[in-house]
Amino acid sequence: MIQINSSEDFIRLRRIALAAQGLLKNSPFGDGLAGANKAISHIGYVQLDSISVVQRAHHHSLYSRVPNYSPDMLASMLENKAIFEYWAHAAAFLPIADFRFSLLYKHAIKSGQTHWYKNSDRKLMNELLTRIRIDGPLRSRDIKSNTSKSNGWWDWKPAKKALEQLYMEGDLMVSSREGFEKVYDLTERVLPVDINVQMPSLAEFAVHILEQQLRCHGLVSIKGLTYLRRNTKLKEAIKTLVNTRSQQGLLEQLQFSNGESYFLPTGAFEQPRVRVSEQLKILSPFDNSVIQRERLKSLFQFSYQLECYVPEAKRQYGYFCLPLLFGDVFIGRMDCKVHRKTAHLEIKSLHLDANELDITRVITAFGDAIIKFIAFQQCNSVSLTQVYPQRLTAVVQNILKSLQ
């Protein structure tokens, strides 16, 4: 067991974690479409989110790791069957090679072991399956409301629920998206013929989760490995697997002074400390690196909350504040909004935690990052309302003026 006490120890762990996430180098996975494919295969998923105050989370997460990424690339990956859409700990795009590991959850829903929607309308589900089989892919907006339910028309709400139930049970897959709207088709028509569809055992699934999480996080906790997963038997299998690999000498345990424990591959902690560049990354609130908030606080001493779910009067940093990562330290948050009609990025507030020694370097890096971020948001102008601490207002405003 390795005792973690010093600031140097935490620097080493932070860099292990960020390197595994692909957030320390400029292009760890390559660039463009090929880089996006490698990135999602490495980090395991990109989380979907419907909030569009800025570019959506699934695009933002890839942008943060892949130079020259553009949103059309994810649509291309989905249509070319390099990825598929399903549920990880939330709605996500996942590598198609991992498809078989979605089957356990699908089976649990279809067999009634767990519920997506209670009291599913099986008659309506069968009618929709027949329609898709005959007429081809279907969007929820293709379902028109008709109280008589004749001529292949159904009430919109029950039909939409039925489509989602079929999707979660595995009879349907998302073949593409139009904007943010799902296009459903039969799984047999969407899934590539060479994909493994053998149901994994719980032990196999536990191995998949552990190896995937070690690959994309570098170090893991028992709790983090089953983040937002409620399957008690899976949690037990994960714990057993970690203990077995520790006893075999394949994993080492890290013990923090507050009693928290993490595990990483044996020998990884003693490797030369990863170097960092002085770049600033503007991350999505749903980025893989920050989504486990307790882990974020434990490893990075960064307490973060997405405040769109907080009543406005109680918000401290803004509706959709984005975490700011400078090198291997989270140094602040930026609350912003894209005005698409005018192609304008409004920075409502910028909160910086950097100390006096770092601030010049941080501001310079922020200027470089915001140039790329403006382009990613398809904007051509930017404005800034508030800066904290306020003494930095003039210098940040000058940086932004120089960009326009």
Side-chain angles (χ1 to χ4, degrees):
M1 184 181 295
I2 302 172
Q3 297 293 331
I4 303 299
N5 298 306
S6 69
S7 59
E8 287 296 314
D9 289 342
F10 276 98
I11 290 172
R12 184 177 293 275
L13 292 182
R14 289 201 302 266
R15 293 187 183 183
I16 289 172
L18 292 171
Q21 276 288 310
L23 291 173
L24 288 186
K25 295 181 179 180
N26 288 325
S27 55
F29 307 110
D31 64 1
L33 181 59
N37 270 300
K38 288 181 180 178
I40 197 169
S41 293
H42 179 83
I43 62 178
Y45 75 95
V46 288
Q47 184 171 336
L48 279 145
D49 191 71
S50 60
I51 298 174
S52 59
V53 175
V54 293
Q55 189 60 266
R56 295 186 195 272
H58 40 290
H59 297 307
H60 195 159
S61 294
L62 290 173
Y63 156 79
S64 297
R65 294 163 172 82
V66 182
N68 301 316
Y69 171 80
S70 60
D72 62 296
M73 293 176 185
L74 198 51
S76 174
M77 292 162 66
L78 182 62
E79 293 186 13
N80 292 331
K81 304 178 181 181
I83 59 174
F84 73 106
E85 183 175 334
Y86 196 62
W87 201 258
H89 67 262
F93 288 120
L94 304 104
I96 195 68
D98 292 345
F99 177 81
R100 68 185 292 246
F101 296 106
S102 70
L103 297 177
L104 282 169
Y105 194 40
K106 290 171 181 174
H107 174 72
I109 295 172
K110 196 163 192 172
S111 65
Q113 296 173 37
T114 189
H115 294 287
W116 190 252
Y117 292 116
K118 291 184 178 181
N119 303 316
S120 303
D121 188 335
R122 293 289 157 181
K123 181 175 181 294
L124 178 55
M125 289 165 65
N126 288 331
E127 289 174 358
L128 286 167
L129 274 177
T130 299
R131 173 173 170 175
I132 293 171
R133 185 171 290 111
I134 295 171
D135 296 339
L138 184 71
R139 304 164 299 180
S140 60
R141 76 164 107 154
D142 296 324
I143 301 167
K144 300 177 182 179
S145 179
N146 185 311
T147 54
S148 68
K149 298 185 182 180
S150 61
N151 300 320
W153 290 10
W154 299 273
D155 288 339
W156 185 83
K157 271 192 174 181
K160 181 173 171 55
K161 285 185 176 181
L163 282 174
E164 277 292 292
Q165 185 73 23
L166 287 165
Y167 160 69
M168 291 304 298
E169 290 184 6
D171 294 296
L172 297 180
M173 289 181 69
V174 176
S175 60
S176 63
R177 276 185 177 259
E178 296 182 4
F180 196 63
E181 186 177 23
K182 294 175 182 175
V183 180
Y184 300 93
D185 201 356
L186 300 178
T187 293
E188 63 206 56
R189 292 202 292 239
V190 177
L191 194 64
V193 294
D194 59 341
I195 293 300
N196 186 347
V197 292
Q198 183 179 2
M199 179 77 71
S201 67
L202 202 61
E204 286 179 304
F205 191 33
V207 169
H208 168 72
I209 289 174
L210 176 59
E211 292 182 350
Q212 190 270 324
Q213 292 287 294
L214 285 171
R215 183 177 70 245
C216 77
H217 285 306
L219 60 150
V220 298
S221 66
I222 297 292
K223 184 176 182 180
L225 284 165
T226 54
Y227 175 69
L228 293 186
R229 297 182 188 270
R230 299 176 181 177
N231 187 326
T232 302
K233 290 183 178 178
L234 176 61
K235 291 181 179 182
E236 292 172 355
I238 287 282
K239 188 173 182 179
T240 298
L241 177 62
V242 170
N243 288 337
T244 298
R245 291 203 174 183
S246 297
Q247 292 168 5
Q248 292 171 341
L250 299 174
L251 294 177
E252 287 183 308
Q253 184 175 356
L254 307 171
Q255 186 73 42
F256 292 4
S257 58
N258 64 1
E260 291 183 283
S261 292
Y262 284 81
F263 297 84
L264 80 175
T266 298
F269 185 75
E270 289 78 21
Q271 293 296 310
R273 198 167 75 180
V274 181
R275 297 181 65 182
V276 298
S277 60
E278 292 195 345
Q279 62 176 342
L280 186 143
K281 287 189 177 287
I282 302 165
L283 299 178
S284 166
F286 299 100
D287 192 276
N288 301 46
S289 64
V290 301
I291 197 64
Q292 295 185 35
R293 311 298 194 213
E294 291 182 16
R295 171 192 170 91
L296 186 65
K297 187 173 183 179
S298 177
L299 293 181
F300 294 90
Q301 292 75 57
F302 186 63
S303 183
Y304 176 76
Q305 180 180 20
L306 180 56
E307 296 184 343
C308 62
Y309 305 119
V310 175
E312 185 173 1
K314 295 183 178 181
R315 290 176 193 151
Q316 184 178 0
Y317 298 107
Y319 177 83
F320 203 68
C321 53
L322 310 178
L324 303 179
L325 176 68
F326 177 66
D328 61 358
V329 181
F330 284 90
I331 51 85
R333 303 156 176 83
M334 180 175 74
D335 184 42
C336 55
K337 179 179 181 179
V338 171
H339 298 271
R340 291 180 174 83
K341 289 184 178 180
T342 56
H344 179 75
L345 176 65
E346 176 191 7
I347 303 176
K348 297 184 175 185
S349 64
L350 177 65
H351 294 256
L352 296 174
D353 303 329
N355 60 43
E356 290 283 354
L357 295 176
D358 294 331
I359 203 62
T360 300
R361 293 150 52 205
V362 167
I363 295 296
T364 300
F366 176 76
D368 294 337
I370 206 69
I371 292 172
K372 298 174 185 176
F373 194 70
I374 291 169
F376 172 59
Q377 301 299 333
Q378 298 181 316
C379 292
N380 51 38
S381 62
V382 61
S383 62
L384 173 64
T385 303
Q386 293 179 306
V387 180
Y388 302 95
Q390 293 181 349
R391 59 183 172 78
L392 300 177
T393 300
V395 66
V396 178
Q397 289 282 19
N398 287 338
I399 286 282
L400 296 181
K401 286 178 182 177
S402 71
L403 305 180
Q404 302 181 81

